[in-house]
Structures are given as C-alpha cells and as structure tokens.
C-alpha cells in the first residue's frame, strides 16, 4: 500500500474513543482519524499504538504526531464527537469533522462540546 492509498478515516462498528494524528511520509502529509471500540482499544494510547502498527504493517515509513482525541457515538447516518483525551488533549474539532465528512459521504458529523 502506498501512503496515498492509506485511509484517512477508519471507524469501528461500535466506536468508543478516537484519536486524530498528523501523519507525514516524506513530503506528503495527511490528517488521520481512528476510532476504536472499547474492547479492542480501551485507552487513546492503544488507538495510537494500533495506528502505528497499521502503518508498519502497510509498509509505510511515516512520522505520527498525535493532535488530540475524544469520544464518539455513531449511528447509521450521524457521528457525534465529544469530550477530550486525557492523554493527548482535545483535537481541533473543525478539522476532525471535515476529515470524517470527506471520507464518509452522507454521514452527518457534529461536535457536542
């Protein structure tokens, strides 16, 4: 997989927490959102570690800078972002909302706080 093919947004079926990261590979940079369920990644740091492993497994040598995170609720047509990561702080929600909306056409994304 190339860096251009690496997905900006991956959300588990029953998301609990999410992180936002700036991922840089050479001269290319993208904002990446990962949301995982509580059983597989109970802490924001677990999601960050999973992102690093995902990049490694894809053969992508990239630098990851965590920009923050929070909590997520999701239905078939809407995603609600709220709270903040105690480990990484609060992400800049307008960028997170736009990143998710661009990747998931037809899903309404909003920040509660």
């Amino acid at each position: 997989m190339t860096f251009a093919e690496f997905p900006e947004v991956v959300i588990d079926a029953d998301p609990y927490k999410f992180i936002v990261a700036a991922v840089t590979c050479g001269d290319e940079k993208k904002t990446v959102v990962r949301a995982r369920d509580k059983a597989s990644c109970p802490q924001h740091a677990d999601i960050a570690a999973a992102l690093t492993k995902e990049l490694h497994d894809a053969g992508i040598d990239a630098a990851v800078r965590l920009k923050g995170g929070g909590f997520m609720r999701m239905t078939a047509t809407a995603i609600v972002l709220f709270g903040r990561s105690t480990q990484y702080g609060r992400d800049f929600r307008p960028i997170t909302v736009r990143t998710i909306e661009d990747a998931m056409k037809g899903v309404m994304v909003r920040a509660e706080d």
Side-chain angles (χ1 to χ4, degrees):
M1 173 185 296
T2 67
F3 186 64
E5 297 168 324
F6 191 77
E8 284 86 357
V9 176
V10 175
I11 299 175
D12 284 355
D14 186 22
Y16 172 59
K17 291 183 177 182
F18 72 93
I19 61 164
V20 179
V23 180
T24 306
C25 182
D27 293 335
E28 298 178 78
K29 181 179 177 181
K30 56 174 73 178
T31 298
V32 172
V33 177
R34 292 296 182 269
R36 303 296 304 268
D37 65 80
K38 190 173 188 175
S40 66
C41 290
Q43 300 297 320
H44 288 99
D46 299 322
I47 304 171
L51 172 60
T52 301
K53 181 180 182 326
E54 184 183 353
L55 286 159
H56 179 268
D57 291 351
I60 298 170
D61 183 21
V64 177
R65 194 172 104 228
L66 277 293
K67 305 290 282 179
F71 297 85
M72 179 184 287
R73 285 191 306 269
M74 186 170 83
T75 67
T77 59
I79 293 174
V80 178
L81 309 174
F82 61 99
R84 64 184 287 278
S85 165
T86 56
Q87 294 159 313
Y88 304 116
R90 183 184 161 125
D91 57 300
F92 186 63
R93 292 287 153 86
I95 290 175
T96 306
V97 167
R98 186 177 67 238
T99 301
I100 296 170
E101 286 179 337
D102 287 349
M104 302 179 71
K105 303 294 185 205
V107 174
M108 185 187 79
V109 182
R110 68 179 173 87
E112 259 188 7
D113 52 355

